[in-house]
Amino acid sequence: MSTALTRGQHSIREKREKKFVPADGDETFDTDRIARQLTTVGFERSGATFEKSQQVLLDAGSDRSDWDGEPGNPTVLTVTLSEEALKIEAKDVVGIVTLLPGVTIEIEPKIGWNGLIDMLLTVLDVPAAEEPYTMPTGTDDERSVDPADVIVLLAINYHRGIDRISRQGLIRDIIVERSNSYRGTGTIDLGQTLRNHAKGEPVPNWIRSRPEYNNPVNSLLHFAGKQLLYFLKQEVSEARISDRRIVRVFNDIYDDLKYLERHGITSKYSDLGEYARVSTHSLPRQRRYYQRALYVAQSLLTSSLFGRGDDGPQRLHIDYVLKMEPFFEDYSHAVLERAVDQIREQDPIGVLDDITCVAQKRIRPFKKLHGQNVHHRPDHLLMEDERTIAVLDSKYYQEGSNPARESKSRSRLFTYAYLQQTGQLAFLCPLATPWSGTVAQTDAEVAVVTPTTDEFNHEAYQAAVQGYVRGVLFNRYPELEVFELLEKPNTQLCIDGRLEAPFEFLYDTDEGAPFSIARPDWFADDAVRALVRSTSVFRTDLEGEGQVLRRRLKSVLTREDENDQRVYPQHEITCIPVYRLPEVSADSDNRSGASLGRLTLFFLQRPDEAGEPTMATKEEVWIR
């Protein structure tokens, strides 16, 4: 479908194409004139094809891309020009790009602007809001990004730029001051002091050097910070300002301004002309870490944010680009770290203390062969100390796709798993189709982790990632299932209640330990006593006043296999008994039911070798 090429803003989805035809009754384009206009706004020509490369406004919140001043800005838009049509193709970036003078292209994220801003706030490590964060829609075009959302984008990027500057140092001038005084600070200039004596003024001459930070570059950053605070107050609605995540962004900008002011940096409108002459290209190479913050400052300086148009609400004329693949990778890593932290909260004995998520770990496949490209970098590794539990690869794929079907992606993931010696592999995708499979040759498990919703949703993606991480960790540490079960209502640990921290003895097989089955009769007696003492079950409710349950428990504990060997070796395995109240429907009467609940017995055996997963078995014993 073709669209008339008119002035204003047009929309296209990332990694899609769009065809424009002449407007105002013209049958053909003036290709020479349009070619000149394309080159004027930064396109590079190759025959009938034009490509525009642009610096990335955000690099996914990390410092590993092009903000160090190295060349290599990504191609954001490709134009094919003919007399009949002008075709554009958007790459895997989102943002606003100038196509022609007076014509801008809004490249929309396939995950939606709502999902994109949620991703940004997650990467920034902003706590989740109490209320869902929603994006306002425009009255003219509901798909267009609201100016307030771009302000949040700029503010996040500004804060990260100032944060890096604070770590690496502000640009400064050294001011040398001299004074004649009997009480001074600094160092004494002996030559000038002697000349003072010769003139009949026996006063020491002092030299003092002090840093001066209030230069045009830093003043521009201060000016931009003040404008961001103003726009956050003016353009972001009251409902969204109450969102704790937006408040965090506001406070970060405020703290950045205070940091600059503590170094004596100020700014004023009368110096706008001087600020306009500041260029990132004039920075010394060792100061290229200024580029991120300066890019935002210059964008604000040259945009229409500084006034409203005559035709109503202002329009943003900031060319900004966000490269989605590395951004989604950093977003996924933030979600992974949050998932591990949430699961760690269910671990009272610290089995997950050494679990970490590692991003972009450099893996060298050879012992003696080194070089710039002789290494691999998996997107994410789930690790326990130096041992890899799972390897995960972020894939910003199209809707409904399965990266396991693509040879290149599959081979890369298999390489990572082989080098890290793990059997748990996963692709993290925003809009794919959930899938899991087993590798025929190695029995490794491969999963495509993605939300099950039709459209991208931050909460759904977070739940999908947490579900996968939970499955991997619970499979390796099945004792976590015990702790999770005990967090649920109507459950009770059936052991001696006098112990304050019984799980400290979780793997202790000595006779006196709370979970030891070295004496099955003792274990069965303790479990029944704890059941009667700690739950709503009375001894008289039990068949044979508990004797039948004791025999049933002892039978489970002493069961033998076909070789007459204990299924649960009493000096190698511990058992955790958890009582679970029966589920009673609203229209039933529990007093008429035959079951009083059940005891879930978790049998745990620590592996002989360090780093191997815990072996576990679960059995149910019904209470009657």
Side-chain angles (χ1 to χ4, degrees), residues 292-556:
R292 181 201 294 266
L294 277 181
Y295 188 87
V296 176
Q298 290 171 328
S299 297
L300 286 167
L301 195 65
T302 58
S303 73
S304 63
L305 281 170
F306 293 103
R308 291 184 176 273
D310 298 331
D311 54 347
Q314 64 196 36
R315 296 291 293 177
L316 289 172
H317 295 296
I318 302 175
D319 275 18
Y320 69 93
V321 168
L322 175 63
K323 191 167 176 61
M324 289 304 296
E325 285 192 2
F327 170 65
F328 178 70
E329 181 184 321
D330 277 16
Y331 164 71
S332 294
H333 195 76
V335 173
L336 278 168
E337 289 181 326
R338 186 172 297 179
V340 172
D341 289 341
Q342 290 175 344
I343 296 171
R344 191 179 283 122
E345 293 176 358
Q346 303 173 4
D347 172 23
I349 62 174
V351 296
L352 300 180
D353 286 352
D354 296 328
I355 298 297
T356 57
C357 292
V358 181
Q360 293 283 317
K361 180 181 179 181
R362 187 189 298 267
I363 301 172
R364 297 191 181 278
F366 303 108
K367 292 182 178 180
K368 296 184 178 180
L369 181 61
H370 302 286
Q372 184 176 1
N373 297 318
V374 188
H375 65 266
H376 299 272
R377 284 185 178 271
D379 290 347
H380 323 280
L381 295 178
L382 189 63
M383 303 188 70
E384 181 182 26
D385 288 333
E386 295 299 318
R387 187 185 184 92
T388 298
I389 299 174
V391 57
L392 308 99
D393 202 19
S394 292
K395 289 297 177 188
Y396 190 69
Y397 273 41
Q398 294 291 343
E399 302 93 322
S401 59
N402 185 349
R405 294 181 178 274
E406 185 183 287
S407 176
K408 185 178 180 180
S409 299
R410 188 175 63 245
S411 298
R412 184 183 297 113
L413 191 65
F414 284 174
T415 299
Y416 298 154
Y418 171 77
L419 292 173
Q420 294 301 102
Q421 299 181 359
T422 180
Q424 296 292 336
L425 303 82
F427 294 103
L428 305 180
C429 306
L431 290 170
T433 301
W435 177 87
S436 61
T438 302
V439 180
Q441 291 76 17
T442 63
D443 290 331
E445 299 292 332
V446 182
V448 175
V449 181
T450 187
T452 56
T453 52
D454 294 335
E455 297 182 353
F456 179 82
N457 177 279
H458 167 67
E459 288 76 17
Y461 182 75
Q462 186 169 269
V465 172
Q466 183 171 351
Y468 176 79
V469 174
R470 178 194 177 280
V472 171
L473 294 179
F474 274 54
N475 183 61
R476 186 172 184 82
Y477 307 104
E479 54 266 44
L480 294 174
E481 187 178 349
V482 180
F483 310 141
E484 183 183 62
L485 179 60
L486 289 172
E487 292 292 326
K488 297 180 179 179
N490 302 323
T491 60
Q492 179 66 44
L493 183 64
C494 287
I495 63 164
D496 190 341
R498 292 171 295 179
L499 291 173
E500 293 184 0
F503 289 117
E504 292 182 3
F505 307 95
L506 187 60
Y507 308 107
D508 192 343
T509 58
D510 293 341
E511 283 189 3
F515 303 113
S516 170
I517 59 173
R519 295 291 298 271
D521 48 346
W522 289 7
F523 182 91
D525 288 344
D526 287 345
V528 173
R529 276 197 300 269
L531 175 68
V532 173
R533 182 174 58 248
S534 305
T535 71
S536 59
V537 177
F538 294 98
R539 186 179 298 275
T540 53
D541 294 333
L542 298 174
E543 188 177 357
E545 295 191 351
Q547 293 301 322
V548 175
L549 178 59
R550 286 188 178 91
R551 289 196 297 269
R552 198 177 298 133
L553 288 172
K554 187 176 179 180
S555 174
V556 173

